[in-house]
Amino acid sequence: MAKNDEEVIKQGYMVKRSQNKKIYTPVNYKQRWFVLNRKFLIYYDNDSEDKRKEKGRVDLENVHSVEAILLSSSIEENRPQGISYPFQVGYQEYNQDYALHLLASTPKERTDWILALRTICRYNKNLRTKYHTGVWNSKRWTCCRNTVRGSVGCENCTTWPFSSEEKENFTENKSLGTSQSSHIMPGGGGGGGGATPGTPSAKQKEKPAVRSKVVIALYNYKAIESGDLSLEKNAEYEVLDDNQEHWWKVRDTHGNVGFIPSNYVKEKDLIGLQQYEWYVNDMSRQRSESLLKQEDKEGCFVVRNSSTKGLYTLSLYTKVPHPHVKHYHIKQNAKGEYYLSEKHCCATIADLINYHRHNSGGLASRLKTSPCDRSVPATAGLSHDKWEIDPQELMLLEELGSGQFGVVRRGKWRGSIDVAVKMMKEGTMSEDDFIEEAKVMTKLQHTNLVQLYGVCSKNRPIFIVTEYMRHGSLLNYLRRHKQSLTSNQGLLLDMCIQICKGMAYLERHNYIHRDLAARNCLVGSENIVKVADFGLARYVLDDQYTSSGGSKFPIKWAPPEVLNYTRFSSKSDVWAYGVLMWEVFTCGEMPYGRLKNTEVVERVQKGLILEKPKTCFKEVYDIMRKCWSQLPENRPSFRVLKEQLISVAQRLLVD
Ligand code: AMP
């Protein structure tokens, strides 16, 4: 699956009714954790990524209807109480009809699931016009008593709403007395996306009109290269070509066409809270606190995903009685309305935020502003299909530091984009091989990886141009801020989680770092931490660095199989990650202190491991120890580590 296909669009618990039972009893209703991506609706026995077992999945291509239904209480009287908002996902597999009956806990949850599913399935070739409002039970449909299981249905499907505008049009048509609402194919309705009464013709059914993908810009983007298109935050764009993962061809509302970075836009139907400047997504409690403190404005706030999946938290800065950040869980009542104080409930989170902009309503302050000047994500390369950079377009500024390969300087590309330029000392790396690899590396894109923009390879020395990270190396950052960081275990754990997320991405792409350590991670604004220099070790020519007996070899980060057989893998990265966690929790101490490399090797071979850093939680140290299992196969993957760290953070830190 492409990266986009795997992206989780919606997830949460719902109750699922067993399929293929003749008679239904309470045991036929099970709570399952549902995960929706662009290809599948998958259900698991629980929500823990490392422990859950998949119980089944529906290939979304096969879905022909997604409808709210009725469960007959007389027949279904034993179904679970309190979870009573049923809907059905109808699909066909191997010419056999199936229906997944699901119960959402609130009407809002049900609507959200239905909309999310319909949005993905809206181009399906097999969409139907009829469905059963009841369920199949005791050899008949409870709605129309039809005894043919595969019968098309007794009720016209509702129009598939794709946006609030269309939804409103749909309601409007109904209230205008349109008795039969049809199952409109995307784009098949009358002007303005409204519903057309009546059933679609056979022709329409065979060939659904293709509705184009519309996206909304999350950030401004200034096109610099010809062929690219500028983006204006919140404006709409029609996607003309999304074949390349990172650069899409789009058309703006004035008819201009060009390439834009795909991570700067979001599909209109899936945009949710991302359109609001106050929504900061997965930002942790600790990072939101430092962001708001930095801003230092009364009533400054953000809304972020809570560490409990599916919930949101409001983080609010106040100076009364002293500067601090308060965190409030946004709750939902039985009607699906959102509230911070039960007296003021709103249909959407945006309405709730608006309400509290005008009324403190029990909060420490009225909501006033959100942090301005938020950092924008790096693009995968500086333009579409561009990885060779003209050195004339680089303005070189101050020196940032120097490392294994030579001096690193801050720079500006075409006078506007901040970059870091690594000027490679001649003879330190096999340049041709690296230049080839750079094409692949520019395509690796993740919030917690330092973005490679490209290379200047025509002249010597060659330059490696990357995203600029204003606070420099993590190792120095930890040492510089030791005092404040030691007392902020949450922030340290958050740094580890961020690095783990970046590494999980590399692991998913079968990419091995080979030199993961705090010195090779960088810190940017808003305390964001990113992994740098991944894969670079392969192109180093210096024997002292590449051979495990060499004086520059990172012995202290190497597991037994690397020391013995130079066998690198994602699992050798996991060992190094354990050492990196140790560096983080000691705020930049040298692992194994002053022990010589030979002594370290002896210790590691004997199975002796680094001691628990003084201030580190036992649960966190237990995770480090798992990274140091002698056998690579006994070490957890980064995916599992990530889940474990997040769950430790949930248990140990208040959200
Ligand atoms: P390196 O050669 O990667 O070890 O880099 C040497 C030093 O340059 C690091 O310790 C950082 O302080 C600085 N540096 C490297 N890359 C960047 C970057 N992308 N942004 C900011 N500083 C950097």
Side-chain angles (χ1 to χ4, degrees):
M1 278 203 291
K3 174 185 157 250
N4 267 351
D5 292 340
E6 279 176 75
E7 187 193 341
V8 175
I9 287 162
K10 183 163 172 59
Q11 55 187 344
Y13 276 110
M14 282 191 285
V15 170
K16 176 186 163 288
R17 182 183 187 262
S18 302
Q19 284 167 292
N20 295 322
K21 290 276 178 306
K22 286 193 179 112
I23 308 280
Y24 284 85
T25 69
V27 295
N28 302 128
Y29 291 91
K30 297 229 167 58
Q31 195 184 45
R32 297 282 180 233
W33 177 252
F34 283 80
V35 176
L36 177 70
N37 63 37
R38 273 168 227 272
K39 298 276 294 179
F40 299 103
L41 175 65
I42 310 170
Y43 44 101
Y44 300 91
D45 55 353
N46 68 70
D47 64 355
S48 152
E49 251 191 63
D50 53 322
K51 289 197 211 105
R52 69 193 185 189
K53 229 168 96 190
E54 182 176 325
K55 301 304 265 182
R57 60 172 65 201
V58 175
D59 187 335
L60 298 177
E61 246 176 35
N62 299 331
V63 169
H64 55 64
S65 58
V66 184
E67 294 292 338
I69 53 160
L70 307 165
L71 284 184
S72 151
S73 55
S74 57
I75 294 167
E76 305 280 343
E77 61 195 280
N78 284 323
R79 76 193 145 85
Q81 295 292 305
I83 314 169
S84 41
Y85 302 97
F87 68 102
Q88 153 208 296
V89 181
Y91 61 101
Q92 205 177 40
E93 254 171 23
Y94 308 110
N95 280 332
Q96 181 80 36
D97 248 18
Y98 297 94
L100 199 60
H101 287 113
L102 304 171
L103 301 168
S105 52
T106 65
K108 163 93 174 52
E109 261 299 287
R110 174 169 70 178
T111 310
D112 286 353
W113 275 106
I114 291 179
L115 282 178
L117 280 156
R118 286 176 175 180
T119 301
I120 298 163
C121 300
R122 64 193 191 267
Y123 302 126
N124 283 5
K125 301 266 183 329
N126 55 343
L127 295 182
R128 292 206 178 150
T129 53
K130 297 258 185 187
Y131 77 108
H132 285 287
T133 53
V135 288
W136 180 254
N137 195 331
S138 309
K139 298 191 184 168
R140 64 181 174 82
W141 286 98
T142 57
C143 41
C144 55
R145 306 190 154 256
N146 193 323
T147 51
V148 182
R149 186 161 193 188
S151 57
V152 243
C154 50
E155 181 69 38
N156 288 323
C157 288
T158 48
T159 303
W160 281 24
F162 298 104
S163 64
S164 48
E165 187 193 339
E166 283 169 343
K167 208 163 147 192
E168 269 163 32
N169 281 340
F170 168 58
T171 329
E172 208 176 287
N173 274 352
K174 269 188 124 178
S175 62
L176 283 172
T178 311
S179 58
Q180 279 194 324
S181 55
S182 67
H183 189 143
I184 293 292
M185 301 301 172
T196 309
T199 314
S201 67
K203 206 171 158 203
Q204 250 180 318
K205 208 172 133 191
E206 272 167 32
K207 210 175 162 222
V210 176
R211 203 180 111 113
S212 57
K213 178 152 103 181
V214 175
V215 291
I216 293 188
L218 301 172
Y219 314 95
N220 289 324
Y221 170 72
K222 191 165 159 250
I224 307 182
E225 196 73 30
S226 72
D228 292 346
L229 185 73
S230 289
L231 290 174
E232 193 186 317
K233 190 171 161 37
N234 291 332
E236 280 187 21
Y237 299 83
E238 185 188 355
V239 178
L240 305 177
D241 179 358
D242 60 2
N243 281 326
Q244 286 185 59
E245 189 181 345
H246 301 300
W247 291 89
W248 289 351
K249 194 179 206 177
V250 301
R251 180 174 18 233
D252 68 15
T253 46
H254 310 291
N256 304 312
V257 171
F259 282 93
I260 51 114
S262 61
N263 59 332
Y264 275 48
V265 294
K266 187 89 184 167
E267 257 177 79
K268 188 177 173 186
D269 304 318
L270 304 175
I271 193 160
L273 295 180
Q274 288 207 41
Q275 62 192 298
Y276 302 107
E277 73 290 350
W278 39 259
Y279 178 61
V280 292
N281 233 305
D282 273 335
M283 186 179 278
S284 65
R285 175 191 176 96
Q286 292 73 26
R287 280 180 57 217
S288 70
E289 284 188 0
S290 51
L291 175 67
L292 292 169
K293 281 181 186 158
Q294 208 175 299
E295 201 78 7
D296 193 27
K297 284 188 195 139
E298 179 70 21
C300 194
F301 73 100
V302 293
V303 173
R304 57 189 175 83
N305 296 346
S306 154
S307 57
T308 313
K309 281 174 186 155
L311 298 183
Y312 299 93
T313 303
L314 167 76
S315 302
L316 170 63
Y317 181 78
T318 175
K319 294 185 182 175
V320 186
H322 54 85
H324 69 296
V325 176
K326 291 208 68 147
H327 303 272
Y328 303 89
H329 280 154
I330 299 180
K331 302 201 184 79
Q332 259 185 305
N333 63 17
K335 286 194 250 163
E337 295 168 332
Y338 296 93
Y339 65 91
L340 288 159
S341 115
E342 265 172 294
K343 282 189 219 137
H344 313 289
C345 302
C346 297
T348 65
I349 292 182
D351 289 348
L352 184 67
I353 296 300
N354 268 340
Y355 173 80
H356 286 282
R357 276 185 196 277
H358 303 287
N359 310 278
S360 64
L363 304 181
S365 153
R366 204 161 53 71
L367 305 181
K368 291 181 183 160
T369 53
S370 338
C372 42
D373 229 12
R374 299 247 2 253
S375 56
V376 293
T379 54
L382 290 170
S383 170
H384 71 284
D385 249 351
K386 184 181 179 77
W387 50 271
E388 179 67 47
I389 294 169
D390 180 353
Q392 305 274 2
E393 296 177 348
L394 282 175
M395 183 165 59
L396 293 175
L397 304 163
E398 77 275 11
E399 189 174 314
L400 297 170
S402 69
Q404 170 76 23
F405 300 102
V407 172
V408 181
R409 287 175 68 173
R410 187 163 77 86
K412 286 256 179 214
W413 183 68
R414 296 213 176 162
S416 71
I417 296 182
D418 279 322
V419 294
V421 183
K422 209 175 255 196
M423 304 156 112
M424 307 301 283
K425 241 189 292 177
E426 280 179 70
T428 54
M429 79 175 333
S430 62
E431 291 172 352
D432 291 345
D433 293 343
F434 170 73
I435 291 161
E436 265 314 296
E437 178 67 10
K439 292 180 206 169
V440 177
M441 283 161 86
T442 50
K443 297 210 163 75
L444 294 171
Q445 183 179 53
H446 188 273
T447 326
N448 301 109
L449 294 183
V450 173
Q451 184 65 48
L452 174 67
Y453 284 138
V455 292
C456 305
S457 67
K458 302 274 187 266
N459 302 325
R460 293 295 176 269
I462 62 167
F463 293 172
I464 297 181
V465 183
T466 67
E467 175 183 2
Y468 166 66
M469 302 287 288
R470 64 191 290 188
H471 297 300
S473 100
L474 172 63
L475 184 60
N476 290 336
Y477 186 85
L478 290 165
R479 290 176 178 171
R480 270 202 317 272
H481 297 91
K482 185 166 183 144
Q483 228 177 2
S484 59
L485 287 174
T486 314
S487 59
N488 198 342
Q489 295 285 298
L491 203 51
L492 297 178
L493 186 52
D494 182 56
M495 286 177 169
C496 293
I497 294 173
Q498 292 190 61
I499 297 166
C500 194
K501 286 181 177 171
M503 289 306 298
Y505 175 91
L506 286 185
E507 176 184 73
R508 248 194 349 265
H509 288 77
N510 297 318
Y511 213 90
I512 307 169
H513 191 301
R514 289 180 166 82
D515 193 7
L516 180 62
R519 63 182 172 279
N520 283 332
C521 294
L522 294 162
V523 185
S525 47
E526 298 175 10
N527 275 316
I528 198 152
V529 185
K530 305 197 182 203
V531 178
D533 292 343
F534 31 92
L536 225 56
R538 276 171 302 162
Y539 306 100
V540 176
L541 290 175
D542 186 348
D543 271 358
Q544 292 302 316
Y545 178 85
T546 51
S547 113
S548 60
S551 58
K552 295 183 197 157
F553 190 85
I555 296 267
K556 291 177 170 179
W557 287 261
E561 75 275 11
V562 168
L563 297 173
N564 294 332
Y565 321 106
T566 330
R567 195 175 290 154
F568 288 98
S569 64
S570 288
K571 292 297 176 84
S572 62
D573 280 351
V574 167
W575 178 290
Y577 176 76
V579 182
L580 191 162
M581 280 180 74
W582 187 92
E583 291 182 276
V584 170
F585 278 92
T586 56
C587 285
E589 280 179 29
M590 173 58 89
Y592 309 98
R594 293 211 185 115
L595 284 192
K596 290 199 201 97
N597 276 355
T598 46
E599 292 168 316
V600 172
V601 173
E602 257 173 51
R603 278 182 68 119
V604 170
Q605 306 285 26
K606 278 195 210 147
L608 294 172
I609 53 167
L610 288 162
E611 280 176 13
K612 184 173 101 57
K614 272 195 215 84
T615 51
C616 163
F617 296 121
K618 181 184 168 295
E619 287 84 342
V620 174
Y621 184 59
D622 287 344
I623 294 181
M624 287 183 208
R625 286 174 38 182
K626 287 185 196 163
C627 299
W628 300 325
S629 301
Q630 287 284 308
L631 295 174
E633 59 271 28
N634 291 344
R635 289 171 216 149
S637 64
F638 281 106
R639 186 182 64 80
V640 168
L641 276 173
K642 184 182 83 182
E643 287 306 311
Q644 291 181 348
L645 286 165
I646 292 173
S647 103
V648 167
Q650 268 172 354
R651 265 181 286 130
L652 300 182
L653 310 166
V654 242
D655 180 39

